[in-house]
Amino acid sequence: MANITITINGKKVEVPQGSTILDAANKLNIHIPTLCYCPDVGCGVANKPASCRLCLVEATGIRGPRKILAPACATPVAPNMEVWTNSARAMKARRTVLELLLSDHPQNCLTCAKNQECELQKLAAEFGIREISYQGERNSYPVDESAAIMRDLSKCVMCRRCETVCNKVQTVGALTGNGRGFPAKVGTASMIPLADSSCTFCGQCVNVCPVGAIVGVSYTKKVMAAIHDPKKTVVVQTAPAVRVAIGQEFGFKPGEPVTGKLVAALRMLGFDKVFDTDFSADLTIMEEGNELVGRVKKYLELTKAGKSAADAQKEAHLPILTSCCPGWINFLEHHFPDLLDIPSSCKSPQQMFGAVAKSYYAEKIGVKPEDLIVVSVMPCQAKKYEAARPEFAPGGVKDVDYVITTRELVRLLREAGINLANRDDEDYDSPLGESTGAGVIFGVTGGVLEAALRSVYTMLNDGKNLSGDAINFRAVRGLDGVKEAKVEVAPGLAVNVAVCSGLGNARKVLDMVRADRTRFQAIEIMACPGGCINGGGQPYIKGDRAETLQRRMEGIYAEDAGKPIRLSHENPDIKKLYAEYLGQPGSEKAHHLLHTVYHENKRD
Amino acid sequence: MSDTNTTAPEGNGTACCGCKKFSSAAEAKFAELDAFIETLGLDPADERRRGRLIQILHRAQHIFGYLPREVQQHVAEKMAIPESAVSGVVSFYNYFTTKPKGKHVINVCLGTACYVKGSEGVLRELERVLGIEADTNPTPDGLFSLGSLRCVGACGLAPVMLVDDKVYGKITPAAAVKVVNEIKAKEAQA
Ligand code: SF4
Ligand code: SF4
Ligand code: SF4
Ligand code: FES
Ligand code: FES
């Protein structure tokens, strides 16, 4: 493609044809404010409605030699274009735009969940706004609150990033522009509550909203109240992806694992025991691996008996779909009711942990389940919705009492004056804190399948473990949205697997399954692009999304590589759990505690 | 404009697609709409089907008189698109309405020129006389619905009232009431 040279503030710069003025300015390290524009809301999809007009610059060469104001984010460069980002007219125009935006904004930053993380607030600081010259009508809408996500549209700046991620990346289509003109707003169909819509609670909209219009619902107060209640024993589990994301908020490099410091900080915060969701991830592999092996064996029997591959796949419920991600399960229950029989029946690791804690562990320490409080620290919004599902509260006692996100934990630690950087590494408690490298890779797309393959290999090869580099299934790693591979799981037995992350990619893969039932035998699906490292509760990514995710992924695999045990079925505490309590994978007790059923959910 | 619950069309049901019961009159309307959608031959795998949405909604409003949520859900299902995509379009165009309309539609302009010349007083007086709030449901007898508009492009005549397709310029509250009474009288004769 041809290059084009333009001049910005007197400096020449050459950029490829099709670039915008903003791209060219970035190349010169000239800062132009933006608000609605987001280069990557997920899977590399840009949000570019050019609606906010905060990036106005003065330029010639758009409509002839006349100087006009143009949005830098959406105006393509043209030969011999000349641009002024800081002319009097450009600066005045941007200030007017910002003041108008602020005039229809609640301006209650002090009590806003996005205080100090808000892009509008940052712009107001950058512009040195000291008073707002315009007083006018303000939009006001009722706040919509669910178990996981809260929307306050009076703070919405109509950037439509949420709509883009929900429709273009996730293909859920829960959000849309409603109405037009001044009262226009982004919301659900007919402005019904999010909980009644087709929303999956993936939280990707939360991650990209520049202001406090869409935020997670906070459970930090309830957690602290439980911790401070002397009658309660309070245990916490930490999801795999938390340890590679939380560090950035305490001055560590993005993606740097801070597992030991996280444990130390949680202990100092007051939890009685600090456990690990990686433990129940290992447990998931025991159950899911067992299911996969069972289905594959059934398939082999059926084809041996003369069934066609397609019929055998159907009857053996193949391909098996992973079920660790509640965002994905919500999507399945809503959009793919015809496939409800093929996901693994395993509960997510979060819920397995809760179920085991409130039975096995509670018995072990002699505490009544209702006096044992289970808190989860999750990268995720959907886990809040999941923990609130009635099927996960046997006898009215929730398996997981409270879910807080990585972001909420950061806030709690700040409030309690605990700086991760100043803590020495500590170890998880026993017995629900012991985990393997297979458990930790659940945090990234491809990890669940890789962990399962590692154990399935042993199950299919008379107890012989993978050794050396064969333990690394590199074909299913990486941040690509859809990965396909053929994997030999036993001599002469290869299975076709797929890994996808982001619900739009899940839709693609499931459409493949609908078209050809024999194409895959196992599929891993994560709702968030890249998996839980990009969950809707992770620290906000400032700067390059793909780059940060890459670092978090590397952090996860580094943790795996550093673990003495990297096979779930070799986890000594998992072995003990089966020996003392559950019996065998797939036993009646295991089914009762660790498995679930899915329902069609025709919300709108 | 089109916030939340609207009433189901002539029926006690709350959903589309035959899963809940509608009165046979409503059923016939859904059947008519389906027959129309059928003629379009939409391909659920073809993104271009979305281009037909406005046409379908147009027909649906013609059939039902308005577009309550049940009708929107039905269209979404038939077109295999999210309900939000339908609702977004319905709420965007003034032409579409989610509330049933009266036989006669009265609109008062609240644009700047009309507002300055006192159109709000006209609107309030009509609300009082008709016993309904503007931009909500029609009068219980179904004869009138009352709405407000932003500038209709006749500022020279401000304040402006529209009744069905007729424009009344330089309207006063009393004159507006007179127009209403005339229509009422005519309807009583008919
Ligand atoms: S949480 Fe996910 S599915 Fe729900 S509205 Fe946001 S992006 Fe859409
Ligand atoms: S809710 Fe947030 S992301 Fe969505 S349009 Fe409003 S400001 Fe943008
Ligand atoms: S990918 Fe992970 S963070 Fe995202 S919804 Fe699923 S479980 Fe939650
Ligand atoms: S950032 Fe360019 S118009 Fe919003
Ligand atoms: S303001 Fe009423 S017609 Fe223009």
Side-chain angles (χ1 to χ4, degrees):
Chain A
M1 215 192 278
N3 279 351
I4 287 182
T5 301
I6 68 167
T7 309
I8 304 180
N9 299 349
K11 303 268 180 227
K12 285 216 175 324
V13 61
E14 196 181 322
V15 288
Q17 197 179 352
S19 307
T20 61
I21 295 177
L22 184 65
D23 297 329
N26 281 341
K27 198 167 170 196
L28 282 173
N29 282 320
I30 291 174
H31 173 67
I32 299 174
T34 53
L35 183 60
C36 65
Y37 173 68
C38 178
D40 182 6
V41 292
C43 298
V45 173
N47 181 65
K48 218 174 179 175
S51 60
C52 75
R53 287 334 213 212
L54 260 165
C55 62
L56 286 176
V57 294
E58 228 180 338
T60 61
I62 300 168
R63 261 177 263 142
R66 208 157 50 89
K67 268 195 205 175
I68 60 170
L69 287 169
C73 71
T75 308
V77 294
N80 303 319
M81 181 181 251
E82 208 169 332
V83 177
W84 296 267
T85 67
N86 53 6
S87 68
R89 187 166 162 225
M91 287 177 68
K92 181 157 179 261
R94 292 200 297 261
R95 175 173 289 266
T96 304
V97 165
L98 183 58
E99 285 191 30
L100 283 172
L101 258 176
L102 291 171
S103 77
D104 181 24
H105 199 82
Q107 294 162 28
N108 52 7
C109 300
L110 276 180
T111 51
C112 180
K114 277 303 253 310
N115 194 11
Q116 303 214 328
E117 302 257 30
C118 170
E119 293 178 36
L120 185 64
Q121 189 186 43
K122 201 167 141 248
L123 286 168
E126 212 173 276
F127 279 52
I129 300 286
R130 295 294 172 265
E131 61 179 340
I132 293 153
S133 330
Y134 308 97
Q135 295 292 327
E137 202 182 335
R138 277 194 195 168
N139 277 304
S140 129
Y141 307 98
V143 170
D144 174 26
E145 192 168 335
S146 65
I149 291 174
M150 189 179 94
R151 294 183 312 136
D152 179 356
L153 293 183
S154 59
K155 294 180 181 169
C156 173
V157 296
M158 282 299 279
C159 69
R160 309 189 100 157
R161 292 185 192 178
C162 56
E163 190 185 346
T164 302
V165 77
C166 189
N167 288 273
K168 300 258 165 63
V169 180
Q170 300 297 61
T171 68
V172 170
L175 298 176
T176 179
N178 267 283
R180 67 165 154 186
F182 181 68
K185 59 226 169 268
V186 168
T188 53
S190 296
M191 298 303 281
I192 53 175
L194 202 59
D196 296 339
S197 77
S198 60
C199 171
T200 65
F201 296 103
C202 70
Q204 289 302 305
C205 54
V206 178
N207 276 4
V208 296
C209 180
V211 294
I214 310 188
V215 296
V217 173
S218 176
Y219 291 86
T220 50
K221 277 200 186 123
K222 292 193 167 137
V223 169
M224 288 320 288
I227 287 180
H228 293 141
D229 181 345
K231 292 189 293 298
K232 304 285 183 198
T233 303
V234 187
V235 303
V236 65
Q237 57 168 326
T238 60
V242 175
R243 67 206 68 196
V244 295
I246 194 169
Q248 83 176 56
E249 296 295 307
F250 295 95
F252 294 87
K253 287 198 289 292
E256 197 173 333
V258 289
T259 317
K261 300 186 191 314
L262 172 65
V263 172
L266 287 167
R267 204 165 273 139
M268 189 172 272
L269 196 59
F271 287 106
D272 294 307
K273 294 286 173 193
V274 182
F275 291 138
D276 201 353
T277 315
D278 292 17
F279 169 84
S280 48
D282 281 334
L283 185 56
T284 304
I285 290 304
M286 300 302 289
E287 295 294 323
E288 199 167 300
N290 178 61
E291 258 181 307
L292 172 56
V293 167
R295 294 189 197 185
V296 167
K297 283 191 173 153
K298 177 149 185 217
Y299 169 86
L300 293 174
E301 274 166 32
L302 289 165
T303 45
K304 219 177 184 176
K307 287 252 159 136
S308 72
D311 286 346
Q313 286 258 131
K314 247 198 172 116
E315 225 171 287
H317 305 292
L318 288 173
I320 192 171
L321 313 176
T322 58
S323 57
C324 320
C325 165
W328 137 241
I329 291 298
N330 289 340
F331 188 66
L332 165 87
E333 291 187 323
H334 190 266
H335 293 277
F336 293 87
D338 53 319
L339 298 179
L340 284 181
D341 67 311
I342 58 174
S344 155
S345 61
C346 286
K347 290 180 186 174
S348 72
Q350 150 164 294
Q351 292 305 138
M352 280 200 185
F353 180 94
V356 169
K358 295 242 169 152
S359 57
Y360 172 70
Y361 180 69
E363 276 171 39
K364 227 179 169 68
I365 60 166
V367 169
K368 283 194 275 179
E370 52 270 37
D371 290 331
L372 180 70
I373 299 295
V374 174
V375 175
S376 306
V377 182
M378 293 284 143
C380 183
Q381 300 294 349
K383 293 263 162 58
K384 298 186 178 190
Y385 175 87
E386 180 188 38
R389 285 177 84 131
E391 63 262 43
F392 297 141
V397 181
K398 282 182 165 180
D399 283 340
V400 173
D401 294 276
Y402 307 117
V403 181
I404 60 172
T405 59
T406 315
R407 284 196 292 264
E408 286 169 82
L409 177 61
V410 170
R411 232 223 61 245
L412 262 187
L413 292 178
R414 292 220 172 103
E415 185 187 350
I418 300 168
N419 184 344
L420 225 54
N422 298 335
R423 294 299 106 221
D424 292 328
D425 288 1
E426 291 179 18
D427 285 328
Y428 282 104
D429 286 303
S430 190
L432 309 182
E434 182 68 50
S435 72
T436 73
V440 77
I441 57 178
F442 269 57
V444 62
T445 171
V448 178
L449 191 70
E450 177 168 351
L453 289 171
R454 289 180 189 175
S455 286
V456 162
Y457 181 91
T458 306
M459 295 180 198
L460 287 171
N461 292 279
D462 306 317
K464 193 170 135 269
N465 282 341
L466 286 163
S467 61
D469 191 52
I471 204 169
N472 300 310
F473 289 84
R474 295 209 171 76
V476 297
R477 295 187 185 177
L479 293 175
D480 291 342
V482 179
K483 292 164 278 184
E484 292 183 45
K486 192 176 186 119
V487 185
E488 184 148 312
V489 284
L493 179 62
V495 291
N496 292 311
V497 299
V499 171
C500 52
S501 66
L503 291 171
N505 292 320
R507 185 187 287 281
K508 274 187 213 150
V509 170
L510 292 171
D511 281 339
M512 291 180 202
V513 172
R514 277 173 169 171
D516 174 8
R517 193 61 192 255
T518 62
R519 182 161 174 169
F520 304 112
Q521 283 70 52
I523 302 172
E524 181 202 295
I525 303 177
M526 293 289 156
C528 299
C532 305
I533 52 171
N534 191 24
Q538 293 282 55
Y540 294 111
I541 295 179
K542 294 154 195 130
D544 193 317
R545 180 166 293 274
E547 162 83 21
T548 302
L549 293 181
Q550 178 73 25
R551 295 283 99 81
R552 289 180 184 170
M553 176 180 77
E554 286 163 6
I556 291 268
Y557 286 117
E559 283 274 285
D560 170 34
K563 284 272 190 176
I565 306 174
R566 295 177 64 197
L567 301 169
S568 295
H569 57 272
E570 297 294 355
N571 180 331
D573 281 337
I574 290 282
K575 287 184 182 171
K576 212 161 126 193
L577 172 64
Y578 278 103
E580 288 179 2
Y581 199 69
L582 295 172
Q584 294 298 314
S587 70
E588 207 188 309
K589 192 145 197 182
H591 253 277
H592 173 70
L593 275 182
L594 310 177
H595 292 252
T596 184
V597 283
Y598 308 109
H599 309 280
E600 175 166 3
N601 183 354
K602 262 276 160 226
R603 291 176 301 159
D604 304 288
Chain B
M1 202 185 303
S2 60
D3 287 14
T4 47
N5 301 325
T6 47
T7 41
E10 293 176 30
N12 43 11
T14 50
C16 53
C17 64
C19 46
K20 303 245 170 72
K21 264 185 237 117
F22 281 110
S23 72
S24 53
E27 253 168 49
K29 287 179 180 174
F30 278 112
E32 188 185 342
L33 179 59
D34 289 352
F36 173 72
I37 297 175
E38 206 67 33
T39 63
L40 300 176
L42 302 180
D43 175 0
D46 188 347
E47 271 304 298
R48 281 172 305 176
R49 73 184 182 286
R50 287 170 182 256
R52 298 287 201 166
L53 179 56
I54 291 193
Q55 194 185 355
I56 292 172
L57 289 174
H58 200 279
R59 178 57 71 103
Q61 181 153 305
H62 180 75
I63 295 170
F64 289 91
Y66 66 115
L67 298 171
R69 189 166 166 219
E70 293 69 26
V71 174
Q72 296 181 36
Q73 285 171 317
H74 186 83
V75 169
E77 186 134 341
K78 283 278 159 190
M79 292 186 73
I81 60 177
E83 186 196 340
S84 66
V86 178
S87 150
V89 167
V90 168
S91 66
F92 185 82
Y93 291 102
N94 257 331
Y95 171 80
F96 293 125
T97 170
T98 56
K99 308 249 161 54
K101 284 249 144 106
K103 188 165 176 199
H104 300 281
V105 179
I106 305 177
N107 272 302
V108 177
C109 177
L110 292 183
T112 313
C114 293
Y115 191 87
V116 170
K117 292 263 171 104
S119 64
E120 210 196 356
V122 176
L123 189 64
R124 296 293 161 255
E125 178 65 4
L126 286 171
E127 283 184 328
R128 194 185 63 78
V129 179
L130 294 172
I132 54 174
E133 240 177 87
D135 301 308
T136 61
N137 289 324
T139 51
D141 61 4
L143 216 46
F144 295 100
S145 44
L146 181 61
S148 62
L149 294 172
R150 303 275 155 169
C151 184
V152 296
C155 311
L157 299 175
V160 170
M161 170 174 88
L162 289 110
V163 180
D164 300 328
D165 292 328
K166 209 163 164 216
V167 180
Y168 296 81
K170 302 202 191 302
I171 194 86
T172 62
V177 173
K178 209 174 135 217
V179 174
V180 168
N181 287 336
E182 278 165 19
I183 296 175
K184 272 193 188 157
K186 242 191 230 149
E187 287 288 343
Q189 276 168 21

